[in-house]
Amino acid sequence: MRSAVLAATVDVLTEHGLAGTTVGAVARAAGVHETSVYRRWGTREKLILEALAEQLDAALPVPDTGHVRDDLTAYFGTLARLLATAQGEALLRLSVERDDTLPDRRLPYWTERLERGAVMVRRGVERGELAPDTDPGLVIEAVSGALFTRALISGAPLDEDLACRLVALTLAGVLPRNRAYRPD
Amino acid sequence: MRSAVLAATVDVLTEHGLAGTTVGAVARAAGVHETSVYRRWGTREKLILEALAEQLDAALPVPDTGHVRDDLTAYFGTLARLLATAQGEALLRLSVERDDTLPDRRLPYWTERLERGAVMVRRGVERGELAPDTDPGLVIEAVSGALFTRALISGAPLDEDLACRLVALTLAGVLPRNRAYRPD
């Protein structure tokens, strides 16, 4: 039942948008009882968040080309494209909404997503492509944070070129080339 | 009248939170007619956004120490502290809400905020502290995006140390030290 309901949720979202995605509409599309959906997911928001999250992970594979720059550029290029779609934006918007009557499950959810991305950076460190003291999660947060902010807050355009420039920035920094880094 | 109403808005927000900040409550606190507030700002959301934005700019000065790292560390340390407050979070949350009946004013608003920050990076380039091909806005987006994402989406903690590490990341990158950058 779980996967049928989640797939139906994505279908209803695609066709009717966020406002039209009620538990009733999803239950009808999945051919299950509305009460079963409420029993399992509790709220419409949690149902939609879980459905979109599954879809996001499936649509955002973690590449392993053997080169950290290529991996990150491909990964964040895909993320930029996804966030520019209505479904990607819906996932982010739902993540921003909080339901104070329920335990806040956003932090574990996003920590898991962050860890998925950090694997690429960690492999780069292991291969000696990146400095040994690199903070893998911080690299992912800097690039994805800029993409999320455009999608959610500023409304500025999102494309693969932006993702590529953000990856280059976090890898190489902006200090003059050939100037050794001096920690202060 | 404008500054009295904006100051009253911040007062009401601080005392009664977002839900309690109605146009009526603000008008009473400022000693003006509710209709005057609607005439000038149109919606409650625009009123609150403008009030918080003014407060944000006032609370987030752009330093000019003569050193780009010190400027950015101070600026983003202050931003991290602000975003951890209820008012800072409220500003971000309101920026995420969109009112489809009105022209989307978020992009010009956030472009202006971004430009305020980019000035610090541009000065660093002019002083020769940063590479001549540095994209000033991108540096600001990478650091602030990570901070905004923690405040809005993941709920992960925000502090000055995080801001400091993000600034170091975007300045120096994560390539091994002393290895020349090779654009591909």
Side-chain angles (χ1 to χ4, degrees):
Chain A
M1 166 189 157
R2 179 175 175 273
S3 61
V5 171
L6 294 181
T9 306
V10 172
D11 288 346
V12 174
L13 270 170
T14 309
E15 200 168 338
H16 302 288
L18 199 47
T21 307
T22 60
V23 171
V26 169
R28 272 192 303 279
V32 300
H33 282 291
E34 202 171 319
T35 46
S36 319
V37 178
Y38 275 116
R39 205 177 305 120
R40 174 144 198 163
W41 281 277
T43 64
R44 171 182 170 269
E45 281 65 35
K46 281 173 76 174
L47 170 66
I48 297 177
L49 186 59
E50 191 172 325
L52 289 172
E54 277 230 334
Q55 207 202 17
L56 178 72
D57 284 353
L60 190 61
V62 176
D64 188 7
T65 62
H67 302 283
V68 66
R69 180 189 296 262
D70 295 342
D71 285 356
L72 293 173
T73 303
Y75 180 84
F76 286 115
T78 305
L79 181 59
R81 272 202 316 275
L82 283 171
L83 291 177
T85 66
Q87 282 180 22
E89 206 194 315
L91 170 62
L92 274 193
R93 284 190 186 281
L94 283 165
S95 302
V96 170
E97 287 173 18
R98 271 193 303 183
D99 183 342
D100 290 335
T101 65
L102 294 165
D104 191 341
R105 295 174 59 182
R106 297 177 308 158
L107 185 54
Y109 171 73
W110 284 104
T111 303
E112 216 179 287
R113 301 283 89 62
L114 192 63
E115 186 45 42
R116 262 173 68 88
V119 165
M120 292 177 285
V121 181
R122 206 164 280 127
R123 285 198 212 109
V125 174
E126 282 159 14
R127 284 189 300 258
E129 290 182 281
L130 304 179
D133 63 351
T134 297
D135 180 337
L138 205 65
V139 173
I140 304 299
E141 284 192 82
V143 181
S144 61
L147 299 178
F148 289 164
T149 300
R150 287 202 178 196
L152 266 180
I153 297 178
S154 74
L158 279 163
D159 56 32
E160 291 178 20
D161 175 63
L162 172 70
C164 185
R165 288 186 295 128
L166 283 163
V167 169
L169 169 69
T170 54
L171 292 185
V174 292
L175 294 178
R177 320 291 177 232
N178 303 319
R179 180 160 136 178
Y181 169 76
R182 284 171 301 164
D184 48 3
Chain B
M1 167 189 157
R2 178 175 175 274
S3 61
V5 171
L6 294 180
T9 306
V10 172
D11 288 346
V12 174
L13 270 171
T14 308
E15 200 169 338
H16 302 287
L18 199 47
T21 307
T22 60
V23 171
V26 170
R28 271 192 304 281
V32 300
H33 282 290
E34 204 172 318
T35 45
S36 319
V37 177
Y38 276 115
R39 203 177 308 122
R40 175 144 197 163
W41 282 276
T43 65
R44 172 181 170 270
E45 282 64 35
K46 283 173 74 174
L47 169 66
I48 297 177
L49 187 59
E50 191 172 325
L52 289 173
E54 276 230 335
Q55 206 202 17
L56 178 72
D57 284 353
L60 190 60
V62 175
D64 188 6
T65 63
H67 303 282
V68 67
R69 178 188 299 264
D70 294 343
D71 284 356
L72 293 173
T73 302
Y75 181 83
F76 286 114
T78 305
L79 181 60
R81 271 202 316 275
L82 283 171
L83 292 177
T85 65
Q87 282 180 21
E89 206 194 315
L91 170 62
L92 275 192
R93 285 191 184 281
L94 283 166
S95 303
V96 169
E97 287 173 21
R98 272 194 303 184
D99 184 341
D100 291 336
T101 65
L102 293 166
D104 191 342
R105 295 175 59 181
R106 296 178 309 158
L107 185 55
Y109 171 72
W110 284 104
T111 304
E112 213 179 290
R113 301 282 91 62
L114 192 62
E115 187 44 43
R116 262 172 68 90
V119 165
M120 292 177 285
V121 181
R122 205 163 283 127
R123 283 197 215 112
V125 174
E126 282 159 14
R127 283 189 300 257
E129 291 182 279
L130 305 179
D133 63 351
T134 297
D135 180 338
L138 205 65
V139 173
I140 304 299
E141 284 193 81
V143 180
S144 61
L147 299 177
F148 289 164
T149 299
R150 287 201 177 196
L152 266 180
I153 297 178
S154 74
L158 279 164
D159 55 31
E160 291 177 21
D161 175 64
L162 172 70
C164 185
R165 289 186 295 128
L166 283 163
V167 168
L169 170 68
T170 54
L171 292 185
V174 293
L175 294 178
R177 319 293 174 232
N178 302 318
R179 181 161 136 178
Y181 170 76
R182 286 170 301 166
D184 46 6

